[in-house]
Amino acid sequence: MDFQFIISVMPDLLHGLLVTMEIGLISLFISLILGILGASAVNAKIPVISQIIAIYVELFRNTPILVQIYFMYFGLPSIGIVLSEFTTGILEFSLWGGAFAIDNFTAGFEAVPKQTKEAGEALGMNRIQIYTNIIIPIGFRNAFPSFGNTALSIIKCTNYLAGIGLFELTKTAMKYVTKNFKVSEMFVTMAVLYLLVVTVMTYIFNYIERKMKHQKREARK
């Protein structure tokens, strides 16, 4: 293991990791919004919109990520839509993560007890107030653990973008594999960096989950 070589290329690898994190975190935020809005529409059974959302979810959940990326990057230019590698990454993982997030939050919203909704109605709340004050807050807490898994998958799956030439962490490491034949050094370093990121994010999500559980217990007192 050539540690001196690893140290020499570490700035470049960290830049690749930064690109990975930028795409991952932006996509995570957008997928969160898509998940909450989409799940609300599905849970409310809004005509037409809920059917369109169901098709979107099935499309992105049941087709390979790489096929989706290739379609966006190589297919869309045929109809005049040209996206950069970075923009393709944001669009792909926002939509892919959003599809899974909709499933996460739909399950969370459906788990809200019927009696709780009826209590809101008894207090004179309209449908929008019930969603914003009861269903979404409680459903979000229910769905957060599964959404955390979706978030980690977004970060790990950004390495598919190496297939369109984006120099995120994986593509950057592969550059040194082909150029300097440092196979072990690059794959081990890449694995350690991914593990570090995922470990930190797991800790953050677990911390948020514990805080929400604590707030739930406090609210019951």
Side-chain angles (χ1 to χ4, degrees):
M1 187 71 69
D2 190 346
F3 290 102
Q4 186 173 356
F5 177 78
I6 293 174
I7 294 173
S8 68
V9 300
M10 187 58 72
D12 201 15
L13 293 175
L14 291 178
H15 180 268
L17 179 61
L18 178 62
V19 174
T20 292
M21 293 304 299
E22 286 177 343
I23 292 175
L25 294 178
I26 293 173
S27 300
L28 173 59
F29 176 76
I30 297 175
S31 66
L32 175 62
I33 301 301
L34 289 175
I36 293 175
L37 294 179
S40 298
V42 171
N43 186 262
K45 296 180 174 60
I46 300 177
V48 182
I49 294 178
S50 57
Q51 284 77 21
I52 292 174
I53 292 173
I55 294 172
Y56 152 63
V57 170
E58 290 301 311
L59 177 64
F60 276 87
R61 279 176 55 93
N62 298 317
T63 55
I65 294 177
L66 199 56
V67 172
Q68 297 169 20
I69 292 173
Y70 283 168
F71 173 77
M72 291 181 186
Y73 189 71
F74 297 112
L76 290 182
S78 64
I79 58 174
I81 302 175
V82 180
L83 304 175
S84 67
E85 294 90 347
F86 188 86
T87 303
T88 299
I90 296 294
L91 179 61
E92 163 59 23
F93 287 103
S94 295
L95 293 175
W96 182 83
F100 281 87
I102 287 173
D103 271 358
N104 298 153
F105 288 111
T106 297
F109 293 166
E110 290 177 350
V112 177
K114 183 180 179 180
Q115 296 86 344
T116 307
K117 303 174 190 177
E118 292 173 345
E121 293 174 352
L123 291 172
M125 293 184 180
N126 57 37
R127 195 173 186 182
I128 295 177
Q129 290 174 325
I130 290 174
Y131 261 90
T132 55
N133 295 294
I134 297 176
I135 297 179
I136 291 180
I138 297 176
F140 182 89
R141 186 167 58 238
N142 293 338
F144 190 78
S146 57
F147 176 72
N149 293 331
T150 297
L152 296 178
S153 295
I154 290 174
I155 298 295
K156 291 184 287 185
C157 289
T158 54
N159 63 350
Y160 283 101
L161 296 172
I164 58 173
L166 178 68
F167 278 91
E168 39 68 65
L169 178 56
T170 299
K171 182 67 174 179
T172 303
M174 291 303 298
K175 175 180 68 175
Y176 292 107
V177 170
T178 56
K179 180 181 177 181
N180 303 94
F181 304 104
K182 299 292 186 179
V183 180
S184 298
E185 287 82 355
M186 288 299 93
F187 279 106
V188 169
T189 304
M190 183 169 54
V192 169
L193 290 175
Y194 274 118
L195 180 61
L196 179 62
V197 168
V198 171
T199 300
V200 171
M201 289 193 64
T202 300
Y203 175 81
I204 292 173
F205 276 98
N206 288 339
Y207 174 78
I208 295 173
E209 185 179 349
R210 289 195 301 270
K211 291 289 288 185
M212 288 192 295
K213 287 181 178 179
H214 177 70
Q215 290 174 354
K216 181 180 179 180
R217 288 193 297 267
E218 290 295 318
R220 287 178 174 176
K221 292 180 180 179

